[in-house]
């Protein structure tokens, strides 16, 4: 920690939050709101005289309210920066009539009530998101009595109590009588692995954290009686099983089953009833203290940051990585990386590993001093552009600017363009070409596919990141499905132009599929929203023309959904066999009068 | 859009594209189900295809050498590799054609493994028909591929690290020790995060700070 404070290459902004990010890989402009500390960070020597003089006493957040601090304080002895800070909403005010005692006490005159919040803008090339975690709040699990019984503590509170730097100097004391407990119980999976309360995932760290705590306890108090109530012990990491075995050898009693109720007796001891699923019996334990092994939740700031940076979240609320195996620290947006619990619950070793990986990935982009831009970007055909502004409206990256009033043609910022192709698909004047996925190239694929026996074939569009990968996953899993489908790959389902679909039907395709990432998982922020709207629009037109709209299908298939891909293929084949040659002939006759490849 | 309008600029310029097709067996992964020789033979009759061959392992060193030799000898300027998923080996083959001075974007892959042989194992006939279609489609697309060049953009050699817990601290130090500037933003008055609140930490059982 001190290395960070001293490092000449690191600028540290504490009490600060990122409020806005503009730009793209290589040139992000980051707005940072730095809140006033009211103490000069450089001058303060952390002598503590100000704190002694301060009359305001408040619960200490660092010790989770188990001790108190003043309104001017240092969060903890090893804090970096070591400078004190004033919580201005608690401070009585610097008016000497009211208080101002700290100002008098400070010899170095580093307290300044005229400081104000600052907005700082920094330009950076890459971003590492390491926003950490929030501990689960066990209030809703009322059966454990956390809010009713003082001797029921959370695992974090326990950490502070056993810590030499904590409020009791490391002497483990019961909150009610300040005596060292003779027996202590740990309840596992508090807020984890539950479909109804807390989260359904495993929080990864709580088993080992409890095992560690039992070892620390046995070291300090060899005679203490320890019970651990658990579902499974997940000691999967290197050296973890050893620690677990050591804990068992030291006499820690592991009981398989989570308590149903916790009650308190007259001595403020806790009576824990548990169904031991190993013995099948209801067992009752009397314990002096109970610790709830809290699960990990995404940090509160996650959602806001996700919006600011245009990132995606997994259903459990953590940040989504570009690929769970091959790019586990990359965000889908180039130049942004994850480290630590921001991406999912993990322990210190894993957080450190991932942080080193994230920095290596960032350096991989930066070391050359310039970055290469993907040539898969859109290009405006200036002669055809009518400056309608549609492309700028649909671009998820705000990479296109059009001056609609002055009728200047659209301009693509190729550095910001990620290559989804939504603009090219949406342009009403065919004035945008998507490099490497040109209209020409894709139309030729459609035509070639339907040249012979079109009635037997299913034309499918699949996005590179999800559906095409899902099709690959079906292959890797050797899932068998009907052989009639032919996939055309695009980078994003947003690229699938209306014209491609009409061309397919005009050439005799019985069924057309458009497939992409699930809504919310699009690799191009939200480009698939436009896909959805477009497909809806085409279906309406089909109905008007007397064509069965269900012949155009839309399916969201993720990279992990090989089974779903195979299932969709089977459904499409059923749909296809229901389309008669007469129906196809009818479709062709309706569409062939119109200009080839054009929207009816 | 008229057919003529959609014809490649190359064509209007008078020179026809010269397409090479290589159908990979991937050992038996593809060849057990798909008749690779038949697919290659079919492709040899397609317009603009100057070379069409089936090949044991396209990605192997000797496989790549054979393809590169053909590219040089036959003056191939567009390449179709019918093998596994482009998500797997597109980078491999892009590098390969760059080494014989072709633009990496004049490559098209037909996915005969993940999306054909592996999913239609019970119907080799239909799988071969599908493979033929996929290669025909790839050739049609390849005819219109254009060389593309990666541009360069300016870059600020600095990293923003959001969060000063153990992960943020480690990332910041690794970057800074490698000579890159770091801006570390922490919401609280001190860095340290949740880790700083812990007593001993597993597996080493030493203190957290």
């Amino acid at each position: 920690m001190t290395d960070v404070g001293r490092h000449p290459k690191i600028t540290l902004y504490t009490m600060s939050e990122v409020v806005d990010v503009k730009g793209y890989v290589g040139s992000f402009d980051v707005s940072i709101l730095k809140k006033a500390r009211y103490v000069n960070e450089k001058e303060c020597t952390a002598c503590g005289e100000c704190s002694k003089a301060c009359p305001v006493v408040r619960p200490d957040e660092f010790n989770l309210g188990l001790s108190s601090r003043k309104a001017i304080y240092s969060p903890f002895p090893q804090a970096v920066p070591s400078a004190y800070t004033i919580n201005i909403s608690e401070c009585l005010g610097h008016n000497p009539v009211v208080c101002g005692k700290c100002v008098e006490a400070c010899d170095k005159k580093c307290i300044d009530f005229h400081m104000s919040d600052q907005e700082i803008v920094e330009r950076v090339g890459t971003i590492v998101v390491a926003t950490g975690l929030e501990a689960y709040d066990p209030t809703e699990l009322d059966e454990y009595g956390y809010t009713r019984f003082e001797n029921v503590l959370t695992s974090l509170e326990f950490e502070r109590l056993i810590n030499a730097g904590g409020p009791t100097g490391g002497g483990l004391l019961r909150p009610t009588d300040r005596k060292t407990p003779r027996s202590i119980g740990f309840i596992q999976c508090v807020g984890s692995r539950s479909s109804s309360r807390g989260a359904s995932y495993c929080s990864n760290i709580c088993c080992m954290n409890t095992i560690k705590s039992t070892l620390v306890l046995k070291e300090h108090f060899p005679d203490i009686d320890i019970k651990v109530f658990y579902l499974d012990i997940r000691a999967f990491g290197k050296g973890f099983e050893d620690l677990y075995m050591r804990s068992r050898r030291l006499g820690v009693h592991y009981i398989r089953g989570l308590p149903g109720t916790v009650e308190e007796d007259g001595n403020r001891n806790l009576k824990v009833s548990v169904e031991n699923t190993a013995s099948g019996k209801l067992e009752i334990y009397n314990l002096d203290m109970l610790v709830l092994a809290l699960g990990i939740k995404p940090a509160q700031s996650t959602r806001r940051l996700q919006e600011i940076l245009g990132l995606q979240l997994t259903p459990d609320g953590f940040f989504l990585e570009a690929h769970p195996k091959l790019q586990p620290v990359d965000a889908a947006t180039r130049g942004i990386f994850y480290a630590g619990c921001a991406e999912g619950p993990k322990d210190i070793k894993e957080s450190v590993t991932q942080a080193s990986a994230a920095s290596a990935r960032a350096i991989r982009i930066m070391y050359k001093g310039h970055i290469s831009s993907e040539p898969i970007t859109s290009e405006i055909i200036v002669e055809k552009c009518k400056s309608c502004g549609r492309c700028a409206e649909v671009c998820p990256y705000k990479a296109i600017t059009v001056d609609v009033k002055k009728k200047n043609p659209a301009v693509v910022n190729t550095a910001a363009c990620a290559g989804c192709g939504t603009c090219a698909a949406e342009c009403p004047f065919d004035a945008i070409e998507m490099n490497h996925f040109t209209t020409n190239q894709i139309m030729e694929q459609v035509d070639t596919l339907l040249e012979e026996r079109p009635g037997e074939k299913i034309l499918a569009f699949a996005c590179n990141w999800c559906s095409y990968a899902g099709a690959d996953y079906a292959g890797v899993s050797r899932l068998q499905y009907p052989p009639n489908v032919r996939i055309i790959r695009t980078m994003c389902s947003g690229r699938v132009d209306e014209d491609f679909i009409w061309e397919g039907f005009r050439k005799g395709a019985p069924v057309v599929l458009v497939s992409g990432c699930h809504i919310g998982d699009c690799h191009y922020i939200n480009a698939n929203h436009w896909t959805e709207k477009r497909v809806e629009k085409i279906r309406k037109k089909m109905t008007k023309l007397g064509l069965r709209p269900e012949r155009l299908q839309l399916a969201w298939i993720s990279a992990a959904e090989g089974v779903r891909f195979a299932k969709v293929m089977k459904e499409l084949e059923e749909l296809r066999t229901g389309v008669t040659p007469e129906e196809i002939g009818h479709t062709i006759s309706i569409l062939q009068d119109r200009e080839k490849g054009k929207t009816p | 859009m008229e057919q003529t309008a959609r014809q490649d600029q190359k064509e209007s310029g008078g020179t026809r594209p010269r397409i090479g097709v290589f159908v990979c067996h991937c050992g038996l992964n593809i060849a057990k189900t798909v008749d690779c020789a038949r697919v290659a033979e079919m492709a040899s009759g397609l317009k603009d295809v100057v070379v069409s061959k089936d090949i044991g392992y396209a990605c192997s060193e000797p496989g790549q050498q054979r393809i590169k030799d053909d590219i040089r000898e036959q003056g191939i300027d567009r390449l179709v590799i019918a093998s596994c998923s482009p998500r797997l080996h597109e980078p491999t083959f892009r590098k390969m054609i760059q080494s014989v001075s072709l633009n990496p974007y004049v490559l098209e892959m037909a996915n005969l493994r993940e999306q054909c042989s592996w999913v239609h194992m019970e119907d080799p006939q239909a799988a071969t028909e599908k493979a033929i279609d996929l290669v025909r489609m790839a050739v049609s697309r390849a005819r219109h591929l254009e060389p593309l060049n990666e541009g360069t953009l300016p870059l600020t050699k600095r990293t923003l690290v959001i969060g000063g817990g153990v992960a943020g601290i480690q990332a910041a130090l690794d970057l800074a020790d490698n000579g890159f500037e770091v801006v570390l933003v922490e919401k609280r008055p001190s860095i340290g995060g949740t880790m700083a609140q812990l007593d001993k930490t597993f597996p080493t059982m030493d203190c957290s700070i």
Side-chain angles (χ1 to χ4, degrees):
Chain A
M1 278 172 61
T2 48
D3 291 350
V4 171
R6 280 197 296 254
H7 207 297
K9 290 270 184 191
I10 299 178
T11 309
L12 174 61
Y13 294 119
T14 50
M15 305 183 72
S16 303
E17 280 183 70
V18 171
V19 287
D20 193 26
V21 175
K22 287 201 172 69
Y24 38 84
V25 58
S27 310
F28 291 108
D29 284 320
V30 184
S31 304
I32 300 162
L33 180 69
K34 184 170 169 53
K35 302 210 178 78
R37 188 181 268 268
Y38 302 103
V39 176
N40 186 323
E41 220 173 285
K42 292 201 180 74
E43 296 295 317
C44 174
T45 58
C47 69
E49 292 302 319
C50 54
S51 201
K52 281 182 205 157
C54 178
V56 181
V57 180
R58 286 287 179 274
D60 182 349
E61 300 88 352
F62 188 75
N63 284 326
L64 302 140
L66 295 167
S67 66
S68 59
R69 60 159 176 81
K70 300 295 184 63
I72 183 164
Y73 68 104
S74 165
F76 54 99
Q78 303 93 329
V80 174
S82 61
Y84 276 50
T85 178
I86 294 176
N87 184 323
I88 205 69
S89 61
E90 295 164 357
C91 176
L92 296 178
H94 68 292
N95 184 336
V97 182
V98 186
C99 185
K101 290 199 167 62
C102 55
V103 181
E104 284 165 33
C106 182
D107 282 344
K108 298 209 70 175
K109 303 279 170 243
C110 43
I111 298 173
D112 175 8
F113 281 98
H114 297 294
M115 271 188 196
S116 53
D117 295 356
Q118 277 175 280
E119 185 151 332
I120 301 157
V121 177
E122 293 275 8
R123 173 164 285 198
V124 297
T126 52
I127 297 176
V128 176
V129 177
T131 42
L133 62 112
E134 197 138 305
Y136 172 71
D137 176 355
T139 307
E140 65 175 337
L141 296 175
D142 190 55
E143 65 270 30
Y144 297 153
Y146 174 66
T147 51
R148 289 177 287 138
F149 313 132
E150 272 184 72
N151 292 331
V152 178
L153 301 172
T154 66
S155 43
L156 263 181
E157 288 165 344
F158 175 82
E159 288 291 336
R160 297 314 303 153
L161 281 185
I162 195 90
N163 192 313
T168 56
L172 179 66
L173 301 177
R174 285 216 315 179
T176 51
D177 52 15
R178 297 178 176 253
K179 283 184 187 151
T180 302
R182 282 155 300 145
S183 59
I184 184 163
F186 289 85
I187 303 180
Q188 296 306 110
C189 295
V190 176
S192 310
R193 300 182 66 193
S194 159
S195 51
S196 53
R197 291 175 301 175
S200 54
Y201 53 82
C202 167
S203 287
N204 191 309
I205 53 108
C206 345
C207 282
M208 288 316 295
N209 192 56
T210 292
I211 290 168
K212 172 213 71 177
S213 297
T214 65
L215 293 173
V216 172
L217 281 169
K218 281 286 181 189
E219 189 185 308
H220 290 356
F221 316 103
D223 296 329
I224 195 166
D225 179 26
I226 306 173
K227 313 280 182 206
V228 177
F229 305 100
Y230 72 101
L231 286 173
D232 309 283
I233 292 293
R234 296 187 166 175
F236 54 87
K238 185 174 176 177
F240 290 6
E241 187 72 10
D242 277 353
L243 293 177
Y244 176 41
M245 285 302 137
R246 203 197 304 169
S247 169
R248 292 196 86 122
R249 271 200 308 275
L250 287 168
V252 176
H253 186 188
Y254 284 82
I255 298 141
R256 192 164 172 204
L258 296 182
T261 57
V262 175
E263 288 163 42
E264 198 181 55
D265 67 14
N267 296 323
R268 316 294 293 272
N269 292 338
L270 302 156
K271 195 173 121 189
V272 177
S273 315
V274 58
E275 187 198 340
N276 186 331
T277 57
S279 68
K281 288 188 186 130
L282 182 71
E283 296 172 2
I284 291 173
Y285 296 95
N286 288 299
L287 299 163
D288 292 351
M289 188 188 263
L290 204 51
V291 177
L292 308 181
L294 299 185
I296 286 177
K297 288 200 316 176
Q300 245 173 17
S301 56
T302 306
R303 249 209 190 266
R304 204 171 125 69
L305 204 58
Q306 178 234 337
E307 283 167 18
I308 292 173
L309 292 172
L311 302 172
Q312 292 88 39
L313 303 180
T314 45
D316 40 29
F318 294 97
F319 286 107
L320 175 75
E321 61 277 44
H323 188 285
K325 275 189 306 200
L326 303 175
Q327 289 169 282
V329 303
D330 298 11
T333 306
R334 202 169 160 216
I336 302 182
F337 307 93
Y338 304 124
C341 291
E343 181 263 341
K346 47 181 71 67
D347 63 23
I348 294 176
K349 177 184 168 179
E350 265 192 281
S351 295
V352 167
T353 309
Q354 206 188 25
S356 291
S359 56
R361 297 291 286 178
I363 290 168
R364 178 176 163 267
I365 287 185
M366 294 193 294
Y367 79 99
K368 279 189 232 154
H370 59 83
I371 53 169
S372 56
S373 63
E374 274 268 335
I376 303 178
T377 52
S378 63
E379 225 172 277
I380 307 289
I381 305 163
V382 178
E383 313 83 67
K384 287 188 181 179
C385 178
K386 303 263 194 291
S387 315
C388 70
R390 179 65 178 162
C391 49
E393 184 194 338
V394 301
C395 177
Y397 296 87
K398 300 184 173 56
I400 308 181
T401 42
V402 192
D403 198 329
V404 182
K405 279 184 194 147
K406 284 191 189 154
K407 286 275 166 198
N408 287 338
V411 179
V412 179
N413 178 348
T414 48
C417 172
C420 67
T422 305
C423 54
E426 287 289 324
C427 176
F429 308 104
D430 292 333
I432 304 181
E433 196 52 281
M434 183 64 222
N435 285 328
H436 210 52
F437 291 89
T438 64
T439 302
N440 219 351
Q441 290 163 354
I442 296 172
M443 286 291 222
E444 281 295 321
Q445 284 175 283
V446 174
D447 289 349
T448 305
L449 163 64
L450 300 168
E451 227 163 52
E452 293 166 21
R453 303 190 307 280
E456 294 172 17
K457 294 165 190 176
I458 296 163
L459 167 62
F461 293 94
C463 80
N464 179 61
W465 306 101
C466 288
S467 304
Y468 193 89
D472 279 356
Y473 195 55
V476 171
S477 315
R478 308 295 195 277
L479 301 170
Q480 305 297 300
Y481 56 81
N484 308 56
V485 69
R486 310 284 188 263
I487 291 179
I488 294 178
R489 178 170 71 132
T490 56
M491 292 311 282
C492 176
S493 64
R495 173 65 188 104
V496 182
D497 200 306
E498 222 183 304
D499 294 352
F500 305 161
I501 294 167
W502 291 121
E503 176 74 354
F505 284 126
R506 209 187 66 86
K507 286 291 173 77
V511 174
V512 176
L513 170 75
V514 178
S515 62
C517 307
H518 286 274
I519 292 288
D521 290 350
C522 182
H523 281 58
Y524 300 93
I525 302 176
N526 59 0
N528 60 356
H529 282 273
W530 298 109
T531 313
E532 196 176 28
K533 283 188 184 160
R534 199 179 307 137
V535 166
E536 247 351 278
K537 193 172 77 182
I538 301 170
R539 280 209 184 121
K540 276 187 191 147
K541 284 188 191 170
M542 288 174 77
T543 313
K544 264 191 199 159
L545 290 168
L547 310 177
R548 277 197 298 144
E550 54 271 29
R551 288 171 58 198
L552 172 60
Q553 287 286 313
L554 175 67
W556 305 133
I557 302 167
S558 83
E561 291 178 329
V563 173
R564 182 168 150 71
F565 182 86
K567 186 171 159 265
V568 170
M569 293 309 116
K570 283 173 196 154
E571 288 164 3
L572 288 177
E573 176 59 8
E574 271 172 42
L575 198 62
R576 184 195 70 81
T577 50
V579 183
T580 59
E582 293 73 42
E583 190 177 355
I584 295 172
H586 175 67
T587 308
I588 295 172
S589 70
I590 288 175
L591 296 175
Q592 74 182 358
D593 300 337
R594 327 213 167 227
E595 196 191 346
K596 184 186 173 186
K598 279 289 138 197
T599 307
Chain B
M1 207 180 289
E2 287 303 312
Q3 182 74 44
T4 45
R6 277 209 262 132
Q7 275 167 7
D8 198 280
Q9 291 167 332
K10 260 263 157 57
E11 292 182 39
S12 54
T15 35
R16 302 288 313 172
R18 296 180 65 81
I19 302 173
V21 178
F22 294 87
V23 182
C24 177
H25 289 216
C26 192
L28 284 177
N29 280 304
I30 297 170
K32 199 175 114 190
T33 310
V34 171
D35 184 344
C36 296
R38 201 182 129 206
V39 176
E41 196 198 313
M42 176 285 306
S44 67
L46 295 175
K47 193 173 131 196
D48 299 327
V49 172
V50 292
V51 180
S52 179
K53 289 178 177 169
D54 57 316
I55 185 167
Y57 286 101
C59 63
S60 69
E61 203 50 52
Q64 292 196 34
Q65 195 51 52
R66 254 186 79 191
I67 298 171
K68 286 196 279 190
D69 290 345
D70 276 331
I71 291 174
R72 283 200 207 91
E73 285 161 22
Q74 306 289 333
I76 289 168
D77 60 10
R78 306 278 198 288
L79 189 66
V80 171
I81 307 266
S83 60
C84 52
S85 172
R87 291 174 55 86
L88 190 69
H89 272 316
E90 195 173 55
T92 313
F93 293 120
R94 277 187 179 166
K95 270 190 205 127
M96 175 190 83
I97 62 174
Q98 267 181 302
S99 75
V100 284
S101 306
L102 280 185
N103 183 281
Y105 291 88
V106 297
L107 164 77
E108 172 63 5
M109 289 180 75
N111 191 334
L112 299 196
R113 197 179 71 172
E114 283 85 344
Q115 296 181 8
C116 190
S117 68
W118 277 352
V119 288
H120 310 307
M121 289 164 148
E122 289 143 20
D123 198 345
Q125 179 66 31
T128 303
E129 293 301 324
K130 179 171 174 176
I132 286 173
D133 268 356
L134 293 176
V135 171
R136 284 172 55 235
M137 288 162 75
V139 169
S140 301
R141 176 171 150 80
R143 199 173 285 131
H144 297 279
L145 288 175
E146 285 296 326
L148 296 170
N149 294 312
E150 293 177 350
T152 53
L153 299 168
L155 175 135
T156 307
K157 281 190 168 191
R158 294 177 94 196
T159 302
L160 167 73
V161 178
I162 310 174
V166 59
I169 289 172
Q170 183 68 40
L173 287 174
D174 276 5
L175 285 157
D177 289 344
N178 275 289
F180 293 87
E181 279 183 47
V182 175
V183 177
L184 177 57
V185 176
E186 167 58 47
K187 190 166 58 175
R188 286 184 261 195
S190 169
I191 56 168
T194 309
M195 177 201 65
Q197 288 176 290
L198 304 179
D199 179 39
K200 305 286 188 289
T201 54
F202 63 86
T204 49
M205 308 300 288
D206 53 3
C207 75
S208 63
I209 300 182

